[in-house]
Amino acid sequence: MTEKLIVERRGNIALLTMNNPPANTWTEESLKGLKALVEELNADRSIYSLVITGQGEKFFSAGADLNLFADGDRSVARDMARYFGEAFETLSHFRGVSIAAINGFAMGGGLEVALACDIRIAEEQSQMALPEAKVGLLPCAGGTQNLTMLVGEGWTKRMILCGERIKAAKAQEIGLVEEVVPQGQALEKALELAANVAQQSPTSVTACKQLIQNNRTHHWDAGYILERELFVDLFFTEDQKEGVNAFLGKRAPEWKNR
């Protein structure tokens, strides 16, 4: 698909490594590749989770290459904003569970790709920032919206409007990441969580994720109604029958994702 993204399948887990040294920056090629990859994984019933990490030990991702914007070309800006938005929005709507294994600096679009994931695991030496305003830009790949949903307006404004860079411990304290692990262990922990996903019914996980993210755009009352509807919809799936009967039969379920 692109050499800037290395994809490995480990059973029901897809492992994606951003591979554009030295800082794993995003390009038109890699953004289009990410969008295509997630769409491919959505169609692959054997994949239940996606883990994303960065190549090397220093950077998870530094976001966009600022050389792209040096001459002030608005057409380039418009195109790159669209590529970033489409890629990360597609990631956010991945059918399964996406986990960011943050193994270093996550800056700008590098943090935004983590924000588009369901869960974030950060190594203790990691640092995170959305510093776009320092160079006359703004986070255009979901940063202003997704960060606010995670940590609230106060910390979002500190990070974006005041340009505050935070370390992993603070990120966990404010709810930006779910767990902090020692250096070199983010991928291991992310893969452990992804293995836990495989124990759940993949059709149930897809429905539950839809419900959890539903309140981003709809009122709670609509979510209560949708919850009941999707509960009944699961009874049209093979996994519902398999899950209940496996439990009653005291055996491990064999999911088919249908």
Side-chain angles (χ1 to χ4, degrees):
M1 189 171 293
T2 169
E3 294 181 353
K4 293 180 173 62
L5 300 176
I6 300 173
V7 183
E8 178 185 351
R9 285 171 168 78
R10 300 187 181 185
N12 302 116
I13 304 168
L15 171 59
L16 170 63
T17 303
M18 296 174 285
N19 180 48
N20 189 22
N24 299 324
T25 49
W26 288 99
T27 65
E28 175 183 347
E29 177 188 354
S30 59
L31 290 166
K32 289 181 176 179
L34 175 63
K35 181 175 184 290
L37 172 65
V38 175
E39 290 172 343
E40 178 184 312
L41 295 178
N42 280 335
D44 185 344
R45 292 184 182 275
S46 69
I47 295 297
Y48 302 163
S49 56
L50 168 63
V51 173
I52 300 179
T53 195
Q55 181 272 338
E57 298 180 353
K58 185 175 182 180
F59 284 95
F60 175 71
S61 172
D65 182 350
L66 290 182
N67 288 306
L68 289 169
F69 309 124
D71 61 2
D73 188 325
R74 287 189 295 275
S75 64
V76 171
R78 186 176 296 107
D79 287 343
M80 288 303 296
R82 185 176 75 254
Y83 300 146
F84 267 106
E86 290 177 350
F88 294 175
E89 286 165 27
T90 301
L91 172 60
S92 181
H93 291 99
F94 170 55
R95 166 182 50 75
V97 178
S98 54
I99 306 171
I102 303 173
N103 58 323
F105 289 97
M107 303 293 174
L111 179 56
E112 286 177 297
V113 70
L115 292 173
C117 291
D118 299 312
I119 299 168
R120 285 151 295 281
I121 306 298
E123 294 181 4
E124 59 188 359
Q125 82 284 2
S126 300
Q127 296 186 38
M128 287 151 257
L130 290 176
E132 287 86 346
K134 289 186 176 182
V135 294
L137 302 173
L138 61 78
C140 69
T144 61
Q145 308 302 299
N146 292 335
L147 186 59
T148 305
M149 285 187 282
L150 279 175
V151 305
E153 281 194 21
W155 268 102
T156 297
K157 288 174 178 175
R158 282 183 66 161
M159 292 183 67
I160 296 178
L161 307 186
C162 301
E164 189 162 346
R165 179 188 298 188
I166 63 173
K167 297 181 179 179
K170 176 61 72 173
Q172 183 179 26
E173 178 185 325
I174 66 175
L176 175 49
V177 303
E178 280 65 53
E179 186 170 350
V180 175
V181 296
Q183 185 169 1
Q185 295 185 22
L187 180 57
E188 178 184 352
K189 182 62 182 181
L191 290 171
E192 177 186 322
L193 286 173
N196 290 343
V197 174
Q199 299 177 28
Q200 324 301 316
S201 159
T203 52
S204 293
V205 166
T206 297
C208 289
K209 178 173 173 176
Q210 178 185 346
L211 287 163
I212 293 167
Q213 296 185 179
N214 177 74
N215 64 43
R216 296 178 177 179
T217 54
H218 296 81
H219 192 273
W220 292 103
D221 289 342
Y224 295 141
I225 295 170
L226 183 61
E227 199 173 55
R228 297 190 290 271
E229 292 174 349
L230 293 185
F231 177 80
V232 175
D233 286 349
L234 288 175
F235 284 75
F236 291 98
T237 69
E238 294 181 30
D239 284 344
Q240 180 275 321
K241 299 178 183 65
E242 171 63 14
V244 172
N245 285 289
F247 178 80
L248 295 174
K250 299 181 179 180
R251 60 175 176 82
E254 297 180 8
W255 307 122
K256 297 182 179 178
N257 199 11
R258 59 176 182 262

